[in-house]
Amino acid sequence: GHLHKERLNHDQKHIMTTQLIITIIGLGFAAGVLSGLVGVGGGIIMVPTLVFFLGFTQHQAQGTSLIVLTIPVTIFAAFIYYKQCQAQGTPIDMRIVWLLATGFAVGGVLGGKLAVAINQEMLKKIFAIVLIYAAMKMLSWDVAFFRWVRSLF
């Protein structure tokens, strides 16, 4: 169920209740902690929370998450990593950062255009599959899973 009866919708004017404000700040805080801790946050924390607890559509949640990330909210955590890596003799290569950022920007435009063209339910399924695959890969379960699937045939 939704945490709040009011559905956050661009068509509606809604009152930001104290409970809603605290919930949204808490969501941002949790995403920030996760982002600083392991380099994730927007997709993994914000999108599902916006959909399941605040009633956002999948498109609204993904768009909101991306807009939050366009604000330089991660600059402070990034600076901590930058300084720490330099101090440890394993500096972050800014050439790679800029090349990744260039690809990310172009890919983000294409991904955004694709996402808004896809129906909500299909987009949720794609999002879930990406999260599941990432978790399996990080836990090294992907090899065992694919081995199991092959054994079925």
Side-chain angles (χ1 to χ4, degrees):
H2 298 298
L3 188 63
H4 303 283
K5 297 240 187 260
E6 59 190 313
R7 181 175 173 84
L8 296 181
N9 188 313
H10 73 280
D11 295 343
Q12 301 170 338
K13 295 237 182 218
H14 46 274
I15 297 169
M16 296 289 278
T17 63
T18 303
Q19 181 184 9
L20 182 58
I21 291 168
I22 291 169
T23 300
I24 293 169
I25 290 171
L27 167 59
F29 177 78
V33 168
L34 258 164
S35 181
L37 183 65
V38 294
V40 299
I44 291 175
I45 296 296
M46 275 196 273
V47 172
T49 303
L50 291 170
V51 169
F52 296 119
F53 296 110
L54 297 180
F56 278 46
T57 68
Q58 188 72 22
H59 288 121
Q60 280 178 304
Q62 288 180 201
T64 299
S65 177
L66 286 170
I67 292 168
V68 167
L69 296 176
T70 63
I71 303 166
V73 295
T74 60
I75 191 74
F76 303 112
F79 184 71
I80 290 168
Y81 276 100
Y82 183 83
K83 295 303 280 180
Q84 185 65 32
C85 289
Q86 273 189 320
Q88 292 175 342
T90 55
I92 293 171
D93 187 337
M94 292 307 290
R95 297 169 305 175
I96 292 175
V97 168
W98 290 114
L99 290 170
L100 283 170
T102 300
F104 192 95
V106 173
V109 170
L110 178 62
K113 287 181 182 228
L114 285 170
V116 297
I118 295 172
N119 121 345
Q120 294 286 325
E121 291 309 309
M122 179 57 73
L123 191 60
K124 279 184 185 178
K125 289 174 182 151
I126 292 168
F127 185 84
I129 289 167
V130 168
L131 290 181
I132 290 166
Y133 178 74
M136 289 177 64
K137 195 85 176 143
M138 298 288 288
L139 294 167
S140 300
W141 292 355
D142 58 322
V143 175
F145 175 75
F146 290 121
R147 194 175 303 133
W148 173 74
V149 169
R150 276 189 226 119
S151 74
L152 296 175
F153 298 101

